[in-house]
């Protein structure tokens, strides 16, 4: 949830806690409420199908056209981005469609990193790709829940809900506990509301860039 745009817990703090088995107790700075205790999956008895809908409206998408379909091409591209200190989120590579066997690679970065990503890739134009397209006004909506691993059809339901709302999906990323869709930035609120309703989450189940995280209440 922290990696998908929840914005409550700093991502690196969650990584340290996970790696070292440390419980996180998140409390408000403005009141004495008990807050939220974040536990490892194995410590919870129940695993709801969907825990939360998270979203981000600070995404940008880059598409490299005409990438050679050969070993090392993708490595060189993303090494250049790493040297430019650009963190890449979702990556999708299409199958080669041209007679020359060239493909397309699309990926997302934080909107604030778009200029640095563009500058890092420009020296590779002509050798590792033919053209570079950018889309700055992108967003991301994700559903998160450990329970989806044992429930088939969750992805189909997500895509059907967005289709009914007329929301076009540009990129998709999945894991055993998360499905993320990159969509137009101005359609994010509509997509969040539709998914929230479809999976019958409580009000705390919608987590955004400035909204509270939902986990197990502290005793």
């Amino acid at each position: 949830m922290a990696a998908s745009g929840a914005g409550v817990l700093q991502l690196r703090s969650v990584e340290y806690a996970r790696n070292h088995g440390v419980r996180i107790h998140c409390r408000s700075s403005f009141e004495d409420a008990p807050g939220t205790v974040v536990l490892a999956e194995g410590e919870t008895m129940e695993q709801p199908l969907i825990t939360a809908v998270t979203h981000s409206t600070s995404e940008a998408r880059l598409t490299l056209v005409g990438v050679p379909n050969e070993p090392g091409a993708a490595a060189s591209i993303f090494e250049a981005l790493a040297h430019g200190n650009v963190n890449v989120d979702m990556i999708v590579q299409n199958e080669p469609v041209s007679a020359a066997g060239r493909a397309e690679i699309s990926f997302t970065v934080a909107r604030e990193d778009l200029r640095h990503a563009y500058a890092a890739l420009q020296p590779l134009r002509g050798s590792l790709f033919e053209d570079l397209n950018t889309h700055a006004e992108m967003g991301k909506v994700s559903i998160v829940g450990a329970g989806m691993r044992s429930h088939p059809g969750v992805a189909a339901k997500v895509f059907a809900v967005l289709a009914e709302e007329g929301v076009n999906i540009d990129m998709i990323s999945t894991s055993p506990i998360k499905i993320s869709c990159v969509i137009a930035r101005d359609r994010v609120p509509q997509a969040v509301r539709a998914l929230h309703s479809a999976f019958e989450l409580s009000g705390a189940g919608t987590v955004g860039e400035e909204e509270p995280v939902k986990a197990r209440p502290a005793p």
Side-chain angles (χ1 to χ4, degrees):
M1 290 167 66
S4 301
V8 176
L9 299 176
Q10 206 275 342
L11 179 57
R12 288 289 288 159
S13 69
V14 179
E15 289 178 348
Y16 275 116
R18 179 192 61 189
N19 293 340
H20 299 284
V22 177
R23 291 188 179 190
I24 297 175
H25 188 178
C26 180
R27 301 186 62 177
S28 172
S29 301
F30 306 102
E31 56 184 41
D32 292 329
T36 299
V37 175
V38 182
L39 308 175
E41 287 184 39
E43 296 184 70
T44 59
M45 291 295 293
E46 58 180 281
Q47 294 186 337
L49 176 61
I50 300 300
T51 304
V53 177
T54 67
H55 70 274
S56 168
T57 55
S58 57
E59 308 286 323
R61 176 165 61 91
L62 297 93
T63 300
L64 304 181
V65 181
V67 178
N69 184 33
E70 58 187 32
S76 297
I77 289 169
F78 290 102
E79 282 176 0
L81 291 167
H83 291 155
N85 200 31
V86 176
N87 187 39
V88 177
D89 185 13
M90 296 169 58
I91 305 171
V92 173
Q93 178 171 337
N94 299 328
E95 288 292 323
V97 294
S98 67
R102 291 183 173 267
E104 292 184 2
I105 297 179
S106 296
F107 56 92
T108 60
V109 300
R111 186 175 298 111
E112 62 186 16
D113 289 337
L114 179 58
R115 180 170 58 86
H116 300 293
Y118 191 90
L121 293 171
Q122 276 303 314
L124 305 181
R125 185 189 292 267
S127 59
L128 287 178
F129 62 89
E130 297 171 357
D131 198 9
L132 171 59
N133 301 321
T134 63
H135 299 79
E137 298 298 316
M138 305 303 297
K140 179 174 66 174
V141 60
S142 306
I143 61 169
V144 182
M148 72 174 67
R149 287 182 295 195
S150 56
H151 290 73
V154 176
K157 184 173 181 178
V158 170
F159 304 149
V161 168
L162 296 181
E164 290 172 1
E165 295 293 318
V167 176
N168 187 54
I169 303 174
D170 289 326
M171 298 175 68
I172 301 168
S173 174
T174 65
S175 78
I177 63 170
K178 183 179 72 171
I179 299 172
S180 297
C181 300
V182 173
I183 61 178
R185 182 186 183 189
D186 60 358
R187 304 303 297 274
V188 168
Q190 179 186 1
V192 168
R193 287 193 296 269
L195 290 171
H196 183 278
S197 176
F199 287 98
E200 299 180 345
L201 295 171
S202 64
T206 301
V207 183
E209 294 165 309
E210 298 178 356
E211 298 166 354
V213 69
K214 179 178 183 291
R216 199 183 88 174

